[in-house]
Amino acid sequence: AQIAHIEEEYLTPEFIYGNNPSYNIIRSGRIEGVGDFVISMEMKNDVIKDIDIKGDFFLVGDIGQQIIAKLQGTAYTADAISAALPQQLDNVILNLKKDDFVSLLMKKTPTDVKKKQ
């Protein structure tokens, strides 16, 4: 009976889904006509908590407000990411199309990194 009582706390949805550790996903690749990207996402419960975008692309707008801030708190699905981003990304990064960027974020690679924080 005491063991069953102790187990109750660990079987609640709050414990199962709320106490999962954070992890990082790193995506890298080249988008033709735009440049090379290295994107690091801090994740928790399959939600983007923070994102860092680096590369040799040409910025023409505010990447922090128009891309990074929009993706923070977004579920890691192609539909959610696409909905969170503005329709036009080429006014932030020269020649960047939204579909290409979403594809890069969702790309599975053999070098995917998942690290507990």
Side-chain angles (χ1 to χ4, degrees):
Q2 288 178 339
I3 291 173
H5 178 70
I6 293 170
E7 285 179 340
E8 286 176 9
E9 176 186 350
Y10 300 105
L11 297 176
T12 63
E14 292 81 17
F15 182 84
I16 293 170
Y17 297 108
N19 290 329
N20 291 330
S22 295
Y23 58 94
N24 290 332
I25 296 176
I26 297 173
R27 296 284 182 254
S28 61
R30 178 165 183 75
I31 298 176
E32 210 50 52
V34 180
D36 292 318
F37 288 81
V38 176
I39 302 167
S40 177
M41 294 174 279
E42 179 185 341
M43 308 290 291
K44 175 130 173 121
N45 297 327
D46 292 329
V47 172
I48 301 169
K49 293 299 178 191
D50 199 12
I51 184 167
D52 184 39
I53 304 170
K54 295 181 180 173
D56 72 346
F57 45 82
F58 189 71
L59 282 177
V60 293
D62 185 353
I63 194 170
Q65 289 299 315
Q66 295 179 303
I67 296 178
I68 293 172
K70 305 270 187 201
L71 292 177
Q72 291 172 333
T74 301
Y76 185 64
T77 66
D79 290 340
I81 290 170
S82 186
L85 290 170
Q87 192 58 39
Q88 295 295 115
L89 293 180
D90 59 351
N91 60 356
V92 180
I93 298 173
L94 189 66
N95 297 328
L96 182 60
K97 292 182 177 30
K98 183 160 114 172
D99 291 341
D100 293 338
F101 187 68
V102 172
S103 293
L104 179 62
L105 288 177
M106 299 306 298
K107 180 175 82 172
K108 302 284 185 204
T109 65
T111 57
D112 280 354
V113 175
K114 282 192 173 185
K115 291 183 185 175
K116 293 182 182 178
Q117 299 258 329

